[in-house]
Every structure is written in structure tokens, then in C-alpha cells.
PDB file of all heavy atoms in Angstrom:
ATOM      1  N   ALA A   1       8.341 -13.210   1.113  1.00 94.00           N
ATOM      2  CA  ALA A   1       7.657 -14.060   0.142  1.00 94.00           C
ATOM      3  C   ALA A   1       7.548 -15.507   0.625  1.00 94.00           C
ATOM      4  O   ALA A   1       6.685 -16.256   0.158  1.00 94.00           O
ATOM      5  CB  ALA A   1       8.381 -14.022  -1.198  1.00 94.00           C
ATOM      6  N   LEU A   2       8.389 -15.901   1.572  1.00 93.00           N
ATOM      7  CA  LEU A   2       8.264 -17.242   2.146  1.00 93.00           C
ATOM      8  C   LEU A   2       6.934 -17.413   2.868  1.00 93.00           C
ATOM      9  O   LEU A   2       6.414 -18.524   2.981  1.00 93.00           O
ATOM     10  CB  LEU A   2       9.407 -17.501   3.135  1.00 93.00           C
ATOM     11  CG  LEU A   2      10.806 -17.694   2.558  1.00 93.00           C
ATOM     12  CD1 LEU A   2      11.797 -17.844   3.701  1.00 93.00           C
ATOM     13  CD2 LEU A   2      10.855 -18.921   1.646  1.00 93.00           C
ATOM     14  N   TYR A   3       6.397 -16.316   3.370  1.00 90.00           N
ATOM     15  CA  TYR A   3       5.161 -16.363   4.149  1.00 90.00           C
ATOM     16  C   TYR A   3       3.943 -15.985   3.320  1.00 90.00           C
ATOM     17  O   TYR A   3       2.814 -16.060   3.819  1.00 90.00           O
ATOM     18  CB  TYR A   3       5.274 -15.435   5.361  1.00 90.00           C
ATOM     19  CG  TYR A   3       6.636 -15.458   5.999  1.00 90.00           C
ATOM     20  CD1 TYR A   3       7.393 -14.296   6.133  1.00 90.00           C
ATOM     21  CD2 TYR A   3       7.198 -16.651   6.443  1.00 90.00           C
ATOM     22  CE1 TYR A   3       8.657 -14.320   6.701  1.00 90.00           C
ATOM     23  CE2 TYR A   3       8.468 -16.684   7.010  1.00 90.00           C
ATOM     24  CZ  TYR A   3       9.192 -15.515   7.131  1.00 90.00           C
ATOM     25  OH  TYR A   3      10.446 -15.541   7.676  1.00 90.00           O
ATOM     26  N   GLY A   4       4.160 -15.562   2.074  1.00 87.00           N
ATOM     27  CA  GLY A   4       3.041 -15.225   1.205  1.00 87.00           C
ATOM     28  C   GLY A   4       3.243 -13.907   0.489  1.00 87.00           C
ATOM     29  O   GLY A   4       4.038 -13.066   0.913  1.00 87.00           O
ATOM     30  N   ARG A   5       2.523 -13.752  -0.602  1.00 90.00           N
ATOM     31  CA  ARG A   5       2.581 -12.517  -1.405  1.00 90.00           C
ATOM     32  C   ARG A   5       1.238 -11.786  -1.339  1.00 90.00           C
ATOM     33  O   ARG A   5       0.742 -11.287  -2.327  1.00 90.00           O
ATOM     34  CB  ARG A   5       2.947 -12.846  -2.852  1.00 90.00           C
ATOM     35  CG  ARG A   5       4.315 -13.517  -3.001  1.00 90.00           C
ATOM     36  CD  ARG A   5       4.607 -13.862  -4.451  1.00 90.00           C
ATOM     37  NE  ARG A   5       5.896 -14.511  -4.620  1.00 90.00           N
ATOM     38  CZ  ARG A   5       7.043 -13.869  -4.795  1.00 90.00           C
ATOM     39  NH1 ARG A   5       7.048 -12.549  -4.840  1.00 90.00           N
ATOM     40  NH2 ARG A   5       8.169 -14.529  -4.945  1.00 90.00           N
ATOM     41  N   HIS A   6       0.672 -11.741  -0.165  1.00 95.00           N
ATOM     42  CA  HIS A   6      -0.669 -11.198  -0.005  1.00 95.00           C
ATOM     43  C   HIS A   6      -0.681  -9.670  -0.129  1.00 95.00           C
ATOM     44  O   HIS A   6       0.308  -8.996   0.168  1.00 95.00           O
ATOM     45  CB  HIS A   6      -1.222 -11.610   1.353  1.00 95.00           C
ATOM     46  CG  HIS A   6      -1.113 -13.078   1.607  1.00 95.00           C
ATOM     47  ND1 HIS A   6      -1.806 -14.007   0.877  1.00 95.00           N
ATOM     48  CD2 HIS A   6      -0.366 -13.774   2.507  1.00 95.00           C
ATOM     49  CE1 HIS A   6      -1.509 -15.217   1.300  1.00 95.00           C
ATOM     50  NE2 HIS A   6      -0.643 -15.115   2.293  1.00 95.00           N
ATOM     51  N   ARG A   7      -1.821  -9.152  -0.539  1.00 97.00           N
ATOM     52  CA  ARG A   7      -1.988  -7.718  -0.767  1.00 97.00           C
ATOM     53  C   ARG A   7      -2.842  -7.098   0.334  1.00 97.00           C
ATOM     54  O   ARG A   7      -3.871  -7.662   0.727  1.00 97.00           O
ATOM     55  CB  ARG A   7      -2.632  -7.463  -2.132  1.00 97.00           C
ATOM     56  CG  ARG A   7      -1.814  -8.000  -3.307  1.00 97.00           C
ATOM     57  CD  ARG A   7      -0.411  -7.443  -3.315  1.00 97.00           C
ATOM     58  NE  ARG A   7       0.366  -7.849  -4.475  1.00 97.00           N
ATOM     59  CZ  ARG A   7       1.659  -7.626  -4.615  1.00 97.00           C
ATOM     60  NH1 ARG A   7       2.325  -7.007  -3.639  1.00 97.00           N
ATOM     61  NH2 ARG A   7       2.310  -8.010  -5.697  1.00 97.00           N
ATOM     62  N   LEU A   8      -2.427  -5.942   0.791  1.00 98.00           N
ATOM     63  CA  LEU A   8      -3.150  -5.253   1.844  1.00 98.00           C
ATOM     64  C   LEU A   8      -4.575  -4.934   1.416  1.00 98.00           C
ATOM     65  O   LEU A   8      -5.516  -5.045   2.205  1.00 98.00           O
ATOM     66  CB  LEU A   8      -2.407  -3.972   2.232  1.00 98.00           C
ATOM     67  CG  LEU A   8      -3.033  -3.094   3.308  1.00 98.00           C
ATOM     68  CD1 LEU A   8      -3.178  -3.860   4.624  1.00 98.00           C
ATOM     69  CD2 LEU A   8      -2.193  -1.834   3.518  1.00 98.00           C
ATOM     70  N   ALA A   9      -4.755  -4.525   0.161  1.00 98.00           N
ATOM     71  CA  ALA A   9      -6.081  -4.147  -0.331  1.00 98.00           C
ATOM     72  C   ALA A   9      -7.034  -5.331  -0.401  1.00 98.00           C
ATOM     73  O   ALA A   9      -8.236  -5.140  -0.609  1.00 98.00           O
ATOM     74  CB  ALA A   9      -5.965  -3.492  -1.706  1.00 98.00           C
ATOM     75  N   GLN A  10      -6.516  -6.550  -0.238  1.00 97.00           N
ATOM     76  CA  GLN A  10      -7.369  -7.744  -0.256  1.00 97.00           C
ATOM     77  C   GLN A  10      -7.580  -8.338   1.131  1.00 97.00           C
ATOM     78  O   GLN A  10      -8.231  -9.377   1.263  1.00 97.00           O
ATOM     79  CB  GLN A  10      -6.737  -8.798  -1.179  1.00 97.00           C
ATOM     80  CG  GLN A  10      -6.617  -8.331  -2.621  1.00 97.00           C
ATOM     81  CD  GLN A  10      -5.763  -9.257  -3.464  1.00 97.00           C
ATOM     82  OE1 GLN A  10      -5.127 -10.166  -2.947  1.00 97.00           O
ATOM     83  NE2 GLN A  10      -5.749  -9.026  -4.766  1.00 97.00           N
ATOM     84  N   ALA A  11      -7.036  -7.675   2.152  1.00 98.00           N
ATOM     85  CA  ALA A  11      -7.116  -8.209   3.520  1.00 98.00           C
ATOM     86  C   ALA A  11      -8.475  -7.893   4.129  1.00 98.00           C
ATOM     87  O   ALA A  11      -8.796  -6.728   4.388  1.00 98.00           O
ATOM     88  CB  ALA A  11      -6.000  -7.613   4.376  1.00 98.00           C
ATOM     89  N   ALA A  12      -9.256  -8.931   4.392  1.00 97.00           N
ATOM     90  CA  ALA A  12     -10.581  -8.749   4.993  1.00 97.00           C
ATOM     91  C   ALA A  12     -10.499  -8.823   6.514  1.00 97.00           C
ATOM     92  O   ALA A  12     -11.394  -9.344   7.173  1.00 97.00           O
ATOM     93  CB  ALA A  12     -11.539  -9.807   4.461  1.00 97.00           C
ATOM     94  N   PHE A  13      -9.423  -8.294   7.059  1.00 97.00           N
ATOM     95  CA  PHE A  13      -9.192  -8.277   8.500  1.00 97.00           C
ATOM     96  C   PHE A  13      -8.381  -7.030   8.825  1.00 97.00           C
ATOM     97  O   PHE A  13      -7.839  -6.357   7.927  1.00 97.00           O
ATOM     98  CB  PHE A  13      -8.437  -9.539   8.954  1.00 97.00           C
ATOM     99  CG  PHE A  13      -7.145  -9.765   8.225  1.00 97.00           C
ATOM    100  CD1 PHE A  13      -5.950  -9.219   8.682  1.00 97.00           C
ATOM    101  CD2 PHE A  13      -7.115 -10.528   7.052  1.00 97.00           C
ATOM    102  CE1 PHE A  13      -4.764  -9.423   8.003  1.00 97.00           C
ATOM    103  CE2 PHE A  13      -5.928 -10.734   6.367  1.00 97.00           C
ATOM    104  CZ  PHE A  13      -4.754 -10.184   6.845  1.00 97.00           C
ATOM    105  N   VAL A  14      -8.292  -6.696  10.099  1.00 97.00           N
ATOM    106  CA  VAL A  14      -7.528  -5.520  10.516  1.00 97.00           C
ATOM    107  C   VAL A  14      -6.038  -5.875  10.504  1.00 97.00           C
ATOM    108  O   VAL A  14      -5.615  -6.805  11.198  1.00 97.00           O
ATOM    109  CB  VAL A  14      -7.948  -5.062  11.923  1.00 97.00           C
ATOM    110  CG1 VAL A  14      -7.136  -3.844  12.341  1.00 97.00           C
ATOM    111  CG2 VAL A  14      -9.435  -4.761  11.958  1.00 97.00           C
ATOM    112  N   PRO A  15      -5.228  -5.180   9.718  1.00 97.00           N
ATOM    113  CA  PRO A  15      -3.812  -5.523   9.599  1.00 97.00           C
ATOM    114  C   PRO A  15      -3.068  -5.343  10.920  1.00 97.00           C
ATOM    115  O   PRO A  15      -3.359  -4.432  11.703  1.00 97.00           O
ATOM    116  CB  PRO A  15      -3.295  -4.546   8.539  1.00 97.00           C
ATOM    117  CG  PRO A  15      -4.513  -4.095   7.799  1.00 97.00           C
ATOM    118  CD  PRO A  15      -5.613  -4.091   8.813  1.00 97.00           C
ATOM    119  N   ALA A  16      -2.095  -6.203  11.151  1.00 96.00           N
ATOM    120  CA  ALA A  16      -1.286  -6.126  12.359  1.00 96.00           C
ATOM    121  C   ALA A  16      -0.267  -4.994  12.269  1.00 96.00           C
ATOM    122  O   ALA A  16       0.025  -4.454  11.198  1.00 96.00           O
ATOM    123  CB  ALA A  16      -0.577  -7.457  12.602  1.00 96.00           C
ATOM    124  N   ASP A  17       0.277  -4.667  13.406  1.00 96.00           N
ATOM    125  CA  ASP A  17       1.254  -3.588  13.536  1.00 96.00           C
ATOM    126  C   ASP A  17       2.614  -4.023  12.999  1.00 96.00           C
ATOM    127  O   ASP A  17       3.117  -5.094  13.333  1.00 96.00           O
ATOM    128  CB  ASP A  17       1.376  -3.240  15.028  1.00 96.00           C
ATOM    129  CG  ASP A  17       2.207  -2.005  15.290  1.00 96.00           C
ATOM    130  OD1 ASP A  17       2.275  -1.124  14.411  1.00 96.00           O
ATOM    131  OD2 ASP A  17       2.793  -1.908  16.380  1.00 96.00           O
ATOM    132  N   GLY A  18       3.209  -3.200  12.105  1.00 96.00           N
ATOM    133  CA  GLY A  18       4.608  -3.364  11.765  1.00 96.00           C
ATOM    134  C   GLY A  18       4.961  -4.307  10.642  1.00 96.00           C
ATOM    135  O   GLY A  18       6.149  -4.477  10.359  1.00 96.00           O
ATOM    136  N   ILE A  19       3.973  -4.914   9.965  1.00 96.00           N
ATOM    137  CA  ILE A  19       4.325  -5.861   8.910  1.00 96.00           C
ATOM    138  C   ILE A  19       3.592  -5.610   7.593  1.00 96.00           C
ATOM    139  O   ILE A  19       3.720  -6.402   6.660  1.00 96.00           O
ATOM    140  CB  ILE A  19       4.074  -7.323   9.354  1.00 96.00           C
ATOM    141  CG1 ILE A  19       2.603  -7.544   9.718  1.00 96.00           C
ATOM    142  CG2 ILE A  19       4.986  -7.695  10.505  1.00 96.00           C
ATOM    143  CD1 ILE A  19       2.280  -8.999  10.021  1.00 96.00           C
ATOM    144  N   TRP A  20       2.861  -4.508   7.504  1.00 98.00           N
ATOM    145  CA  TRP A  20       2.167  -4.159   6.266  1.00 98.00           C
ATOM    146  C   TRP A  20       2.605  -2.779   5.800  1.00 98.00           C
ATOM    147  O   TRP A  20       2.742  -1.855   6.597  1.00 98.00           O
ATOM    148  CB  TRP A  20       0.648  -4.161   6.465  1.00 98.00           C
ATOM    149  CG  TRP A  20       0.067  -5.520   6.685  1.00 98.00           C
ATOM    150  CD1 TRP A  20      -0.234  -6.118   7.878  1.00 98.00           C
ATOM    151  CD2 TRP A  20      -0.283  -6.475   5.669  1.00 98.00           C
ATOM    152  NE1 TRP A  20      -0.748  -7.367   7.668  1.00 98.00           N
ATOM    153  CE2 TRP A  20      -0.792  -7.622   6.331  1.00 98.00           C
ATOM    154  CE3 TRP A  20      -0.212  -6.465   4.270  1.00 98.00           C
ATOM    155  CZ2 TRP A  20      -1.229  -8.739   5.628  1.00 98.00           C
ATOM    156  CZ3 TRP A  20      -0.657  -7.592   3.582  1.00 98.00           C
ATOM    157  CH2 TRP A  20      -1.157  -8.705   4.255  1.00 98.00           C
ATOM    158  N   VAL A  21       2.782  -2.653   4.500  1.00 98.00           N
ATOM    159  CA  VAL A  21       3.118  -1.369   3.883  1.00 98.00           C
ATOM    160  C   VAL A  21       1.877  -0.819   3.196  1.00 98.00           C
ATOM    161  O   VAL A  21       1.280  -1.483   2.337  1.00 98.00           O
ATOM    162  CB  VAL A  21       4.260  -1.518   2.866  1.00 98.00           C
ATOM    163  CG1 VAL A  21       4.485  -0.213   2.108  1.00 98.00           C
ATOM    164  CG2 VAL A  21       5.543  -1.937   3.579  1.00 98.00           C
ATOM    165  N   LEU A  22       1.483   0.383   3.589  1.00 98.00           N
ATOM    166  CA  LEU A  22       0.370   1.076   2.945  1.00 98.00           C
ATOM    167  C   LEU A  22       0.950   1.907   1.800  1.00 98.00           C
ATOM    168  O   LEU A  22       1.715   2.846   2.023  1.00 98.00           O
ATOM    169  CB  LEU A  22      -0.354   1.972   3.949  1.00 98.00           C
ATOM    170  CG  LEU A  22      -1.461   2.866   3.399  1.00 98.00           C
ATOM    171  CD1 LEU A  22      -2.594   2.040   2.790  1.00 98.00           C
ATOM    172  CD2 LEU A  22      -1.996   3.789   4.488  1.00 98.00           C
ATOM    173  N   GLU A  23       0.599   1.542   0.575  1.00 98.00           N
ATOM    174  CA  GLU A  23       1.066   2.254  -0.617  1.00 98.00           C
ATOM    175  C   GLU A  23      -0.048   3.160  -1.131  1.00 98.00           C
ATOM    176  O   GLU A  23      -1.181   2.712  -1.314  1.00 98.00           O
ATOM    177  CB  GLU A  23       1.424   1.268  -1.726  1.00 98.00           C
ATOM    178  CG  GLU A  23       2.544   0.311  -1.406  1.00 98.00           C
ATOM    179  CD  GLU A  23       2.779  -0.642  -2.565  1.00 98.00           C
ATOM    180  OE1 GLU A  23       1.918  -1.514  -2.803  1.00 98.00           O
ATOM    181  OE2 GLU A  23       3.826  -0.513  -3.222  1.00 98.00           O
ATOM    182  N   ILE A  24       0.303   4.396  -1.378  1.00 98.00           N
ATOM    183  CA  ILE A  24      -0.654   5.361  -1.922  1.00 98.00           C
ATOM    184  C   ILE A  24      -0.082   5.954  -3.203  1.00 98.00           C
ATOM    185  O   ILE A  24       0.922   6.672  -3.182  1.00 98.00           O
ATOM    186  CB  ILE A  24      -0.954   6.488  -0.918  1.00 98.00           C
ATOM    187  CG1 ILE A  24      -1.575   5.922   0.365  1.00 98.00           C
ATOM    188  CG2 ILE A  24      -1.870   7.533  -1.568  1.00 98.00           C
ATOM    189  CD1 ILE A  24      -2.930   5.258   0.178  1.00 98.00           C
ATOM    190  N   GLN A  25      -0.706   5.625  -4.318  1.00 98.00           N
ATOM    191  CA  GLN A  25      -0.345   6.192  -5.620  1.00 98.00           C
ATOM    192  C   GLN A  25      -1.547   6.992  -6.114  1.00 98.00           C
ATOM    193  O   GLN A  25      -2.665   6.461  -6.187  1.00 98.00           O
ATOM    194  CB  GLN A  25      -0.022   5.089  -6.619  1.00 98.00           C
ATOM    195  CG  GLN A  25       0.160   5.554  -8.047  1.00 98.00           C
ATOM    196  CD  GLN A  25       1.562   6.044  -8.343  1.00 98.00           C
ATOM    197  OE1 GLN A  25       2.524   5.414  -7.940  1.00 98.00           O
ATOM    198  NE2 GLN A  25       1.672   7.168  -9.036  1.00 98.00           N
ATOM    199  N   VAL A  26      -1.313   8.263  -6.418  1.00 98.00           N
ATOM    200  CA  VAL A  26      -2.387   9.105  -6.942  1.00 98.00           C
ATOM    201  C   VAL A  26      -1.944   9.727  -8.254  1.00 98.00           C
ATOM    202  O   VAL A  26      -0.747   9.870  -8.520  1.00 98.00           O
ATOM    203  CB  VAL A  26      -2.787  10.215  -5.940  1.00 98.00           C
ATOM    204  CG1 VAL A  26      -3.297   9.628  -4.636  1.00 98.00           C
ATOM    205  CG2 VAL A  26      -1.631  11.179  -5.681  1.00 98.00           C
ATOM    206  N   ARG A  27      -2.923  10.091  -9.045  1.00 98.00           N
ATOM    207  CA  ARG A  27      -2.643  10.890 -10.246  1.00 98.00           C
ATOM    208  C   ARG A  27      -3.637  12.036 -10.301  1.00 98.00           C
ATOM    209  O   ARG A  27      -4.790  11.903  -9.845  1.00 98.00           O
ATOM    210  CB  ARG A  27      -2.715  10.047 -11.519  1.00 98.00           C
ATOM    211  CG  ARG A  27      -4.043   9.421 -11.807  1.00 98.00           C
ATOM    212  CD  ARG A  27      -4.091   8.856 -13.228  1.00 98.00           C
ATOM    213  NE  ARG A  27      -3.142   7.788 -13.430  1.00 98.00           N
ATOM    214  CZ  ARG A  27      -3.450   6.478 -13.389  1.00 98.00           C
ATOM    215  NH1 ARG A  27      -4.713   6.117 -13.132  1.00 98.00           N
ATOM    216  NH2 ARG A  27      -2.568   5.565 -13.600  1.00 98.00           N
ATOM    217  N   ASP A  28      -3.172  13.170 -10.809  1.00 98.00           N
ATOM    218  CA  ASP A  28      -4.042  14.329 -10.931  1.00 98.00           C
ATOM    219  C   ASP A  28      -5.174  14.014 -11.896  1.00 98.00           C
ATOM    220  O   ASP A  28      -4.989  13.278 -12.879  1.00 98.00           O
ATOM    221  CB  ASP A  28      -3.241  15.537 -11.425  1.00 98.00           C
ATOM    222  CG  ASP A  28      -4.043  16.818 -11.334  1.00 98.00           C
ATOM    223  OD1 ASP A  28      -4.007  17.455 -10.268  1.00 98.00           O
ATOM    224  OD2 ASP A  28      -4.707  17.170 -12.329  1.00 98.00           O
ATOM    225  N   ARG A  29      -6.344  14.569 -11.633  1.00 97.00           N
ATOM    226  CA  ARG A  29      -7.519  14.231 -12.440  1.00 97.00           C
ATOM    227  C   ARG A  29      -7.518  14.927 -13.798  1.00 97.00           C
ATOM    228  O   ARG A  29      -8.269  14.532 -14.698  1.00 97.00           O
ATOM    229  CB  ARG A  29      -8.798  14.577 -11.673  1.00 97.00           C
ATOM    230  CG  ARG A  29      -8.893  13.830 -10.342  1.00 97.00           C
ATOM    231  CD  ARG A  29     -10.210  14.075  -9.643  1.00 97.00           C
ATOM    232  NE  ARG A  29     -11.301  13.364 -10.298  1.00 97.00           N
ATOM    233  CZ  ARG A  29     -12.542  13.347  -9.851  1.00 97.00           C
ATOM    234  NH1 ARG A  29     -12.864  14.015  -8.755  1.00 97.00           N
ATOM    235  NH2 ARG A  29     -13.484  12.678 -10.486  1.00 97.00           N
ATOM    236  N   THR A  30      -6.676  15.962 -13.962  1.00 97.00           N
ATOM    237  CA  THR A  30      -6.658  16.680 -15.241  1.00 97.00           C
ATOM    238  C   THR A  30      -5.255  16.844 -15.824  1.00 97.00           C
ATOM    239  O   THR A  30      -5.109  16.937 -17.046  1.00 97.00           O
ATOM    240  CB  THR A  30      -7.288  18.075 -15.086  1.00 97.00           C
ATOM    241  OG1 THR A  30      -6.562  18.813 -14.081  1.00 97.00           O
ATOM    242  CG2 THR A  30      -8.755  17.964 -14.683  1.00 97.00           C
ATOM    243  N   LEU A  31      -4.230  16.877 -14.992  1.00 97.00           N
ATOM    244  CA  LEU A  31      -2.868  17.132 -15.453  1.00 97.00           C
ATOM    245  C   LEU A  31      -2.051  15.851 -15.504  1.00 97.00           C
ATOM    246  O   LEU A  31      -2.324  14.912 -14.753  1.00 97.00           O
ATOM    247  CB  LEU A  31      -2.183  18.140 -14.515  1.00 97.00           C
ATOM    248  CG  LEU A  31      -2.869  19.501 -14.368  1.00 97.00           C
ATOM    249  CD1 LEU A  31      -2.205  20.314 -13.263  1.00 97.00           C
ATOM    250  CD2 LEU A  31      -2.818  20.255 -15.695  1.00 97.00           C
ATOM    251  N   PRO A  32      -1.018  15.793 -16.363  1.00 97.00           N
ATOM    252  CA  PRO A  32      -0.212  14.571 -16.495  1.00 97.00           C
ATOM    253  C   PRO A  32       0.863  14.459 -15.409  1.00 97.00           C
ATOM    254  O   PRO A  32       2.064  14.345 -15.693  1.00 97.00           O
ATOM    255  CB  PRO A  32       0.415  14.729 -17.887  1.00 97.00           C
ATOM    256  CG  PRO A  32       0.581  16.207 -18.046  1.00 97.00           C
ATOM    257  CD  PRO A  32      -0.631  16.817 -17.370  1.00 97.00           C
ATOM    258  N   ILE A  33       0.421  14.488 -14.154  1.00 98.00           N
ATOM    259  CA  ILE A  33       1.336  14.370 -13.027  1.00 98.00           C
ATOM    260  C   ILE A  33       0.733  13.426 -11.993  1.00 98.00           C
ATOM    261  O   ILE A  33      -0.482  13.243 -11.929  1.00 98.00           O
ATOM    262  CB  ILE A  33       1.645  15.736 -12.367  1.00 98.00           C
ATOM    263  CG1 ILE A  33       0.337  16.435 -11.966  1.00 98.00           C
ATOM    264  CG2 ILE A  33       2.477  16.621 -13.269  1.00 98.00           C
ATOM    265  CD1 ILE A  33       0.540  17.732 -11.204  1.00 98.00           C
ATOM    266  N   GLY A  34       1.603  12.839 -11.187  1.00 98.00           N
ATOM    267  CA  GLY A  34       1.144  11.954 -10.131  1.00 98.00           C
ATOM    268  C   GLY A  34       2.081  12.023  -8.949  1.00 98.00           C
ATOM    269  O   GLY A  34       3.046  12.798  -8.934  1.00 98.00           O
ATOM    270  N   ALA A  35       1.800  11.199  -7.939  1.00 98.00           N
ATOM    271  CA  ALA A  35       2.627  11.188  -6.732  1.00 98.00           C
ATOM    272  C   ALA A  35       2.477   9.851  -6.033  1.00 98.00           C
ATOM    273  O   ALA A  35       1.478   9.135  -6.221  1.00 98.00           O
ATOM    274  CB  ALA A  35       2.241  12.328  -5.796  1.00 98.00           C
ATOM    275  N   PHE A  36       3.453   9.542  -5.191  1.00 98.00           N
ATOM    276  CA  PHE A  36       3.494   8.257  -4.501  1.00 98.00           C
ATOM    277  C   PHE A  36       4.020   8.471  -3.096  1.00 98.00           C
ATOM    278  O   PHE A  36       4.936   9.267  -2.871  1.00 98.00           O
ATOM    279  CB  PHE A  36       4.417   7.306  -5.270  1.00 98.00           C
ATOM    280  CG  PHE A  36       4.570   5.949  -4.644  1.00 98.00           C
ATOM    281  CD1 PHE A  36       3.556   5.009  -4.699  1.00 98.00           C
ATOM    282  CD2 PHE A  36       5.754   5.600  -4.011  1.00 98.00           C
ATOM    283  CE1 PHE A  36       3.707   3.749  -4.142  1.00 98.00           C
ATOM    284  CE2 PHE A  36       5.915   4.345  -3.447  1.00 98.00           C
ATOM    285  CZ  PHE A  36       4.891   3.414  -3.513  1.00 98.00           C
ATOM    286  N   TYR A  37       3.407   7.758  -2.151  1.00 98.00           N
ATOM    287  CA  TYR A  37       3.930   7.738  -0.785  1.00 98.00           C
ATOM    288  C   TYR A  37       3.622   6.373  -0.197  1.00 98.00           C
ATOM    289  O   TYR A  37       2.503   5.863  -0.329  1.00 98.00           O
ATOM    290  CB  TYR A  37       3.287   8.823   0.088  1.00 98.00           C
ATOM    291  CG  TYR A  37       3.944   8.926   1.449  1.00 98.00           C
ATOM    292  CD1 TYR A  37       5.042   9.757   1.637  1.00 98.00           C
ATOM    293  CD2 TYR A  37       3.494   8.179   2.527  1.00 98.00           C
ATOM    294  CE1 TYR A  37       5.671   9.838   2.875  1.00 98.00           C
ATOM    295  CE2 TYR A  37       4.118   8.249   3.757  1.00 98.00           C
ATOM    296  CZ  TYR A  37       5.201   9.087   3.925  1.00 98.00           C
ATOM    297  OH  TYR A  37       5.831   9.143   5.148  1.00 98.00           O
ATOM    298  N   GLU A  38       4.618   5.765   0.451  1.00 98.00           N
ATOM    299  CA  GLU A  38       4.404   4.494   1.129  1.00 98.00           C
ATOM    300  C   GLU A  38       5.250   4.442   2.389  1.00 98.00           C
ATOM    301  O   GLU A  38       6.323   5.046   2.480  1.00 98.00           O
ATOM    302  CB  GLU A  38       4.753   3.310   0.226  1.00 98.00           C
ATOM    303  CG  GLU A  38       6.229   3.182  -0.078  1.00 98.00           C
ATOM    304  CD  GLU A  38       6.580   1.883  -0.781  1.00 98.00           C
ATOM    305  OE1 GLU A  38       5.740   0.965  -0.834  1.00 98.00           O
ATOM    306  OE2 GLU A  38       7.715   1.792  -1.286  1.00 98.00           O
ATOM    307  N   ASP A  39       4.738   3.696   3.364  1.00 98.00           N
ATOM    308  CA  ASP A  39       5.445   3.511   4.626  1.00 98.00           C
ATOM    309  C   ASP A  39       4.813   2.323   5.340  1.00 98.00           C
ATOM    310  O   ASP A  39       3.706   1.891   5.009  1.00 98.00           O
ATOM    311  CB  ASP A  39       5.348   4.773   5.488  1.00 98.00           C
ATOM    312  CG  ASP A  39       6.421   4.865   6.553  1.00 98.00           C
ATOM    313  OD1 ASP A  39       7.178   3.891   6.728  1.00 98.00           O
ATOM    314  OD2 ASP A  39       6.493   5.902   7.236  1.00 98.00           O
ATOM    315  N   VAL A  40       5.518   1.812   6.330  1.00 98.00           N
ATOM    316  CA  VAL A  40       5.004   0.709   7.134  1.00 98.00           C
ATOM    317  C   VAL A  40       3.908   1.233   8.059  1.00 98.00           C
ATOM    318  O   VAL A  40       4.041   2.316   8.645  1.00 98.00           O
ATOM    319  CB  VAL A  40       6.134   0.078   7.966  1.00 98.00           C
ATOM    320  CG1 VAL A  40       5.597  -1.101   8.780  1.00 98.00           C
ATOM    321  CG2 VAL A  40       7.274  -0.375   7.070  1.00 98.00           C
ATOM    322  N   LEU A  41       2.837   0.483   8.192  1.00 98.00           N
ATOM    323  CA  LEU A  41       1.796   0.834   9.153  1.00 98.00           C
ATOM    324  C   LEU A  41       2.282   0.496  10.561  1.00 98.00           C
ATOM    325  O   LEU A  41       2.548  -0.678  10.874  1.00 98.00           O
ATOM    326  CB  LEU A  41       0.511   0.068   8.851  1.00 98.00           C
ATOM    327  CG  LEU A  41      -0.345   0.591   7.698  1.00 98.00           C
ATOM    328  CD1 LEU A  41      -1.497  -0.357   7.428  1.00 98.00           C
ATOM    329  CD2 LEU A  41      -0.846   1.996   7.975  1.00 98.00           C
ATOM    330  N   LEU A  42       2.401   1.522  11.382  1.00 97.00           N
ATOM    331  CA  LEU A  42       2.849   1.372  12.760  1.00 97.00           C
ATOM    332  C   LEU A  42       1.921   2.162  13.671  1.00 97.00           C
ATOM    333  O   LEU A  42       1.518   3.277  13.338  1.00 97.00           O
ATOM    334  CB  LEU A  42       4.284   1.877  12.930  1.00 97.00           C
ATOM    335  CG  LEU A  42       5.378   1.056  12.262  1.00 97.00           C
ATOM    336  CD1 LEU A  42       6.650   1.878  12.133  1.00 97.00           C
ATOM    337  CD2 LEU A  42       5.634  -0.220  13.054  1.00 97.00           C
TER     338      LEU A  42
END
């Protein structure tokens, strides 16, 4: 947070290696269930 609270989805540039987390949150289109996966882009 000392360097910023920027969001990957707002980055208008190609993200660098090793310092961005790609978060994927999905929900089923008909059922009350969802899922989440995140990891560092390397």
C-alpha cells in the first residue's frame, strides 16, 4: 500500500512479472453457488 492501491482490472498496460495477483471470482448463472481462485501472475 506504500506504493499504491491500484487494481489490475484498471491497468492500461501489460502487468509486470511477480507483483500482480489475478483474482477470479465466478458465480453459477442459475444455481446459488460460486467459486474463487487467485494467484500471483508469474
Side-chain angles (χ1 to χ4, degrees):
L2 289 176
Y3 321 122
R5 299 178 181 273
H6 309 294
R7 300 304 184 189
L8 179 60
Q10 298 169 351
F13 55 89
V14 180
D17 188 27
I19 59 174
W20 291 97
V21 173
L22 174 62
E23 298 178 290
I24 299 296
Q25 171 85 44
V26 299
R27 61 168 63 99
D28 190 88
R29 301 185 74 176
T30 58
L31 302 172
I33 55 175
F36 179 74
Y37 187 88
E38 68 171 347
D39 201 353
V40 181
L41 282 174
L42 291 162

